[in-house]
Amino acid sequence: MQQRIPIFEERTLTAQLPVHPGCTLEYHISYPVFGQFPALSARYAAWAARYADYIRQTYLPALRGLPRGCLGECPHIEGRFEVSYAGQGLLSVCIEVWEDLGLYHTALGRRADLWHLPDGRPMGLKDLFGDPAAVQREITACIAAEIAAAPEGRYFGGWQRRPRWFFLTERGLCVFYRPGDITALSGGIPTFLIPWEKLRPYAKIPL
């Protein structure tokens, strides 16, 4: 499958904010800028700015109110993005964020966006595929097969619930759950691949 990824550059918001003497809260929030799609670039720049404001206005005061020993090594936050698919006028972007704030808070999160580049609108699965029930059966079957092949105890109940989030790759559709939804928090972000050959019969556009 031929992909033509739009030209983009990486921008990063970064700061070191004093918490206690000898301890800083450091963050690096990366986001994409697409020269030929200024409106899309503005969305990601605005997201990064809002997140940086949240760190300053919520996390920083909370950390300053805690004893130094609660924070371990200096707390830090990392946000990184990936352009996972580009083709057929579609652009799939993932951003993963790791917040390591000692005993106060640790979290791993992912946001995934699918854009229709000709008009800049966000897209969902209903925009990509017809017959939602059949598509869901394919998704559930692929998840069930991978869970059945996994070591015992890796996953627990709840995976039958329809995953709400997805992104595209060259190999197929990836759906994912939040950390802790169907695995232990230490299991990361549970992600499952549904190959294109399973989904092409229902696709509204060539994939």
Side-chain angles (χ1 to χ4, degrees), residues 19 21 28 70 79 121 127 134 139 151 157 178 199:
V19 179
H28 303 272
C70 292
R121 64 184 171 91
D127 300 305
I139 291 173
R178 295 175 303 182
L199 299 172

Side-chain angles (χ1 to χ4, degrees), residues 1-6 8 34 82-94 113-115 117 128 167-173 196 200 205-207:
M1 185 182 305
Q2 291 290 328
Q3 292 194 60
R4 192 161 160 236
I5 297 178
F8 66 91
F34 303 93
E82 177 187 6
V83 177
S84 61
Y85 179 87
Q88 307 299 332
L90 304 176
L91 179 71
S92 186
V93 180
C94 288
D113 304 308
L114 179 63
W115 304 102
L117 290 178
L128 294 177
F167 59 94
L168 307 186
T169 72
E170 188 173 358
R171 295 174 56 203
L173 172 76
W196 287 130
R200 284 197 182 104
I205 59 177
L207 289 169

Side-chain angles (χ1 to χ4, degrees), residues 3-144:
Q3 292 194 60
R4 192 161 160 236
I5 297 178
I7 297 173
F8 66 91
E9 61 178 290
E10 179 179 349
R11 299 271 177 87
T12 303
L13 297 182
T14 185
Q16 291 184 326
L17 309 173
V19 179
H20 296 300
C23 177
T24 60
L25 167 58
E26 184 171 353
Y27 66 75
H28 303 272
I29 307 168
S30 294
Y31 62 94
V33 172
F34 303 93
Q36 64 273 58
F37 302 107
L40 188 56
S41 301
R43 286 177 181 249
Y44 283 109
W47 166 81
R50 287 195 303 270
Y51 186 30
D53 285 343
Y54 184 82
I55 293 170
R56 291 172 177 270
Q57 295 174 16
T58 301
Y59 287 160
L60 184 59
L63 294 176
R64 285 175 173 168
L66 295 175
R68 172 69 177 89
C70 292
L71 302 180
E73 304 223 355
C74 288
H76 64 275
I77 295 174
E78 297 285 336
R80 296 283 179 249
F81 75 89
E82 177 187 6
V83 177
S84 61
Y85 179 87
Q88 307 299 332
L90 304 176
L91 179 71
S92 186
V93 180
C94 288
I95 298 178
E96 289 194 5
V97 174
W98 169 242
E99 300 176 337
D100 184 358
L101 307 181
L103 294 179
Y104 170 71
H105 172 75
T106 60
L108 174 65
R110 175 192 287 158
R111 63 170 285 171
D113 304 308
L114 179 63
W115 304 102
H116 185 250
L117 290 178
D119 56 16
R121 64 184 171 91
M123 299 186 72
L125 290 181
K126 63 180 176 57
D127 300 305
L128 294 177
F129 305 107
D131 199 344
V135 170
Q136 185 55 42
R137 284 196 297 270
E138 297 290 356
I139 291 173
T140 300
C142 287
I143 295 175

